[in-house]
Amino acid sequence: MIRPATLADLDGVHALEQACFDTDAQSRRSLRYLISRARSDFLIVLAAGHVVADVIVLYRRNAGVARLYSIAVGDAARGRGLGLTLLGEAEIAAVGRGCHALRAEARQANKASRTLFSRAGYCERERLPGYYPARARETAREDGIRLEKLLNPTE
């Protein structure tokens, strides 16, 4: 079941963040803000009452371009197509807010994420040197890739 996150889901989305992201997981405070006050769509997937996946899309006034801020699928829920499903829901939400494009970033070394975006029709637009913080036990920052998909509200 996919639905908007509420503050009652805070523990579940925080646990998912901690499980999916090693150095750039969102804090509880940040997640609380994203759920309750940000110009965003924060969607979650529930299975057996637990948050197993989520997607966060951010909006700026009159920008026309939405930013896919985060997408996370827990280990137990992988391989079920939830990533593609959540990307589709994010695109629908962005079109509903009048956006003509959706942008995202991924670590250059994250082949799974880049493959997911490619399968969903995203184009790699720009290399982002040193965009991501170094992972545990590493000292160098990691390069990122900016991705973009033009959205057609008539599709």
Side-chain angles (χ1 to χ4, degrees):
M1 172 174 129
I2 299 175
R3 66 167 174 77
T6 68
L7 288 177
D9 302 311
L10 185 57
D11 289 339
V13 295
H14 185 253
L16 180 65
E17 278 283 316
Q18 297 300 308
C20 290
F21 304 109
D22 54 0
T23 58
D24 43 3
Q26 297 296 314
S27 68
R28 286 180 61 82
R29 181 178 178 179
S30 178
L31 291 167
R32 179 184 302 278
Y33 174 77
L34 290 166
I35 291 170
S36 63
R37 295 193 308 273
R39 286 184 47 90
S40 66
D41 285 305
F42 194 138
L43 304 174
I44 61 170
V45 177
L46 292 174
H50 299 296
V51 178
V52 297
D54 68 31
V55 66
I56 304 167
V57 183
L58 302 179
Y59 305 96
R60 290 185 305 177
R61 280 187 174 69
N62 304 317
V65 178
R67 179 175 178 223
L68 193 138
Y69 186 62
S70 178
I71 186 166
V73 178
D75 287 341
R78 292 207 174 132
R80 299 182 196 170
L82 288 178
L84 279 174
T85 299
L86 284 172
L87 276 177
E89 292 295 320
E91 293 165 9
I92 291 167
V95 167
R97 290 186 182 243
C99 294
H100 61 83
L102 185 57
R103 290 188 184 141
E105 295 85 27
R107 287 181 189 267
Q108 186 171 343
N110 188 339
K111 291 184 188 336
S113 180
R114 291 173 65 193
T115 298
L116 170 70
F117 283 112
S118 177
R119 287 179 49 204
Y122 286 74
C123 296
E124 294 187 358
R125 297 285 187 210
E126 179 182 6
R127 186 171 160 263
L128 306 168
Y131 186 78
Y132 286 97
R135 295 180 191 250
R137 298 181 187 186
E138 295 179 11
T139 58
R141 296 180 64 86
E142 287 189 66
D143 293 348
I145 299 290
R146 177 161 293 125
L147 305 116
E148 181 177 74
K149 181 176 182 180
L150 299 179
L151 306 174
N152 184 350
T154 60
E155 287 183 348

